[in-house]
Amino acid sequence: EAKQRGRNLYQFYTQDLNSRTYRHLVMENQLVKALAKDEFDLHYQPQISLRNGQVEALEALVRWHHPEKGLQNPAHFIPLAEDTGIIEGLGQWVLRRVCQDILRLRQAGIELPRMAINLSARQFRQVDLVERYTHILSEYGISPSHIELELTESTIMQDIKVAVDIFEQLHQLGFRLAVDDFGTGYSSLNNLKHFPIHSLKIDRSFVSDTPHDRDDTAIVTAIVAMAKSLGLEVVAEGVENEDQLNFLKKLDCELIQGYYYSKPLPFDEVCQYLMAPDR
Ligand code: C2E
Ligand code: MG
Ligand code: MG
Ligand code: MG
């Protein structure tokens, strides 16, 4: 009887595994085709300067219009895109779309200081990253100084020597570099100081319980102070309410990104946001 149960269990697991592998393969196949089928889209979220209330940058956040499941957030497909290498082609698509949108904004009379894009670990270590990105920008006649590249601490810290070298090249070309999800990656300041970084983005998980949570409040206060002393700009991510905003204002944090000002929006809607007189 025990044997029978074991067999049933075994069957249960293999079936489960097979159907999971199958679903995985289906999704992978759909993801490969998604680029050609033009199913990706970018949403943009503004970063607002507390100094003057202006929109300083838009962060491009990729979305996938899945043929059956509808709009998918990156958490649902970036890991697979990363495992399969699809991320490299997707990353180039993102930069192209950002360039096209910069030109569309210009046509509408809107010139923002910069646009921010995210790079995953595999993209960052793509051998021809620097050539490809500068090539795409030159096709559109856009200067790298209008582009901020966001990398997480863990991506940067994977192989510090290599990362410093890539950062130096990108920095020389004029790209702006930001550390994303700062505070979650255990990087020591000692390591960070080797990198030509312009800004730190404080992870949403620290911001969300300020100013009520004592520990998070202390952490955010320390990050802002530290960034200032290193001459870095600070962006607070995930600001959702006025209490958080007032706390960050008191700290003299430069830039705010979060639902309080705007969720990530499709291009047309972010244009309306930028042009609204009562913003
Ligand atoms: P991230 O770069 O840290 O982006 C910020 C995430 O926080 C976005 O989620 C954004 O919608 C969300 N967010 C912003 N403000 C608030 C807020 O006030 N409250 C809450 N609850 N959430 C807020 P999203 O768009 O789902 O993106 C998730 C992650 O996917 C990004 O985190 C980034 O790491 C990655 N990602 C997005 N686009 C790309 C891309 O084009 N390439 C790569 N490699 N990764 C991307
Ligand atoms: Mg980001
Ligand atoms: Mg982040
Ligand atoms: Mg994140």
Side-chain angles (χ1 to χ4, degrees):
E1 205 201 295
K3 220 176 185 179
Q4 183 60 38
R5 258 185 46 212
R7 196 170 297 146
N8 288 343
L9 257 182
Y10 172 76
Q11 269 181 1
F12 175 77
Y13 279 125
T14 47
Q15 261 173 23
D16 183 54
L17 196 72
N18 286 341
S19 76
R20 253 193 296 160
T21 311
Y22 177 72
R23 270 181 293 155
H24 195 85
L25 283 173
V26 169
M27 185 155 154
E28 188 177 321
N29 195 23
Q30 287 170 329
L31 200 56
V32 172
K33 291 182 183 148
L35 261 182
K37 288 167 74 183
D38 202 25
E39 289 169 353
F40 291 112
D41 198 4
L42 292 183
H43 283 186
Y44 289 103
Q45 189 177 33
Q47 290 176 8
I48 281 96
S49 160
L50 285 183
R51 298 266 151 74
N52 54 23
Q54 302 285 325
V55 175
E56 191 73 16
L58 296 177
E59 179 176 4
L61 295 156
V62 71
R63 299 289 181 265
W64 179 15
H65 292 279
H66 189 279
E68 293 124 32
K69 291 187 261 179
L71 196 70
Q72 300 290 302
N73 282 335
H76 288 109
F77 61 89
I78 290 283
L80 185 59
E82 177 89 1
D83 287 348
T84 54
I86 294 165
I87 193 75
E88 296 186 5
L90 177 57
Q92 286 156 41
W93 178 87
V94 167
L95 183 60
R96 277 181 195 283
R97 172 56 67 81
V98 163
C99 287
Q100 289 159 7
D101 288 342
I102 289 175
L103 299 181
R104 284 160 81 195
L105 283 172
R106 275 185 196 164
Q107 275 174 356
I110 300 167
E111 187 102 29
L112 297 175
R114 60 186 177 271
M115 303 284 255
I117 64 177
N118 294 282
L119 258 64
S120 63
R122 180 152 177 174
Q123 287 175 276
F124 182 60
R125 287 184 166 70
Q126 186 179 336
V127 280
D128 52 0
L129 170 82
V130 176
E131 290 81 3
R132 277 191 186 275
Y133 275 45
T134 44
H135 180 76
I136 292 171
L137 287 171
S138 68
E139 270 179 59
Y140 290 93
I142 291 166
S143 156
S145 62
H146 291 304
I147 305 292
E148 180 158 78
L149 304 175
E150 297 190 0
L151 295 127
T152 63
E153 277 180 275
S154 46
T155 294
I156 298 171
M157 295 305 156
Q158 262 172 35
D159 182 344
I160 294 182
K161 266 209 184 112
V162 174
V164 168
D165 182 54
I166 305 171
F167 264 64
E168 286 295 347
Q169 291 181 51
L170 292 166
H171 176 71
Q172 292 290 318
L173 289 162
F175 285 96
R176 282 186 49 117
L177 297 158
V179 182
D180 205 350
D181 302 350
F182 186 77
T184 61
Y186 312 103
S187 60
S188 79
L189 290 179
N190 208 28
N191 286 330
L192 264 190
K193 75 177 184 210
H194 298 300
F195 290 91
I197 293 163
H198 292 90
S199 58
L200 296 183
K201 299 189 73 176
I202 307 174
D203 193 66
R204 173 154 56 89
S205 61
F206 299 111
V207 174
S208 59
D209 291 332
T210 60
H212 309 293
D213 183 278
R214 262 182 48 209
D215 293 342
D216 287 347
T217 300
I219 291 169
V220 171
T221 304
I223 294 176
V224 173
M226 175 202 86
K228 282 185 185 303
S229 69
L230 292 172
L232 302 174
E233 211 167 58
V234 205
V235 186
E237 289 189 317
V239 176
E240 294 185 350
N241 61 50
E242 208 148 8
D243 288 347
Q244 295 163 347
L245 182 72
N246 288 332
F247 163 66
L248 291 157
K249 268 185 185 159
K250 264 201 330 229
L251 294 183
D252 199 25
C253 175
E254 284 106 334
L255 295 165
I256 302 290
Q257 182 176 350
Y259 294 174
Y260 179 77
Y261 284 110
S262 171
K263 293 196 169 183
L265 298 170
F267 181 77
D268 290 344
E269 286 174 42
V270 89
C271 278
Q272 282 169 22
Y273 179 89
L274 293 169
M275 290 192 287
D278 58 342
R279 190 170 41 78

